[in-house]
Amino acid sequence: MSTTEIRPEQSHELLKALHILTRDGKMNQDSRRKLKQVNHLFQFIEPMLKKLGETHPEFCVVDHGAGKSYLGFILVDLFLRHHAPEATMVGIETRPELVTTSTSQTTRLRPDAFFKSVCCAINHHT
């Protein structure tokens, strides 16, 4: 499967919320590039998650520098909710506006157990 293709199990609602898909379900060139990047990372990470889940079903994935949490949301959507429901996804981000956006997306899209914790802020005191 091409990394720019939407997988059958992917949530179109999530892809729209992440602005990868437009409201009418289409992708522009920037969105295609972002989807390709995130799907490529997912293909790299998926075998490790499968192996980890065999011995530690309650594992935690941490995305340091989560930004808009594209990777975190995609990992939950494609893997954790199907294959590791006891696992947790945590995104760490220092920019308050991105933390707010990710937390809002989490609440709106997946208030269930699969999005236990997607984003949290770390305050730097300089």
Side-chain angles (χ1 to χ4, degrees):
M1 173 175 288
S2 167
T3 57
T4 56
E5 291 179 24
I6 297 172
R7 295 168 178 248
E9 68 273 21
Q10 276 186 296
S11 165
H12 284 236
E13 180 186 0
L14 173 63
L15 295 175
K16 286 178 184 178
L18 296 175
H19 304 290
I20 290 174
L21 289 179
T22 61
R23 287 183 206 176
D24 58 356
K26 297 184 179 173
M27 267 193 283
N28 63 33
Q29 193 62 29
D30 288 338
S31 298
R32 221 173 278 288
R33 189 171 44 253
K34 178 52 84 175
L35 182 63
K36 181 178 181 177
Q37 177 187 30
V38 172
N39 281 346
H40 180 75
L41 286 169
F42 173 71
Q43 287 177 343
F44 177 72
I45 295 168
E46 183 182 25
M48 292 179 270
L49 294 177
K50 284 181 178 178
K51 188 170 184 162
L52 183 62
E54 291 172 5
T55 55
H56 299 87
E58 295 180 9
F59 65 88
C60 180
V61 179
V62 180
D63 182 4
H64 294 267
K68 294 181 180 178
S69 298
Y70 288 109
L71 181 59
F73 282 114
I74 296 297
L75 283 175
V76 171
D77 188 46
L78 290 179
F79 188 82
L80 299 183
R81 73 185 179 109
H82 299 288
H83 306 289
E86 296 175 47
T88 304
M89 179 72 218
V90 176
I92 298 176
E93 179 55 56
T94 59
R95 293 169 286 181
E97 66 278 7
L98 295 179
V99 173
T100 300
T101 300
S102 293
T103 302
S104 173
Q105 295 279 39
T106 300
T107 303
R108 189 168 61 78
L109 292 168
R110 297 270 188 225
D112 57 27
F114 301 115
F115 278 85
K116 294 175 184 169
S117 178
V118 171
C119 210
C120 60
I122 295 177
N123 293 320
H124 291 287
H125 299 286
T126 56

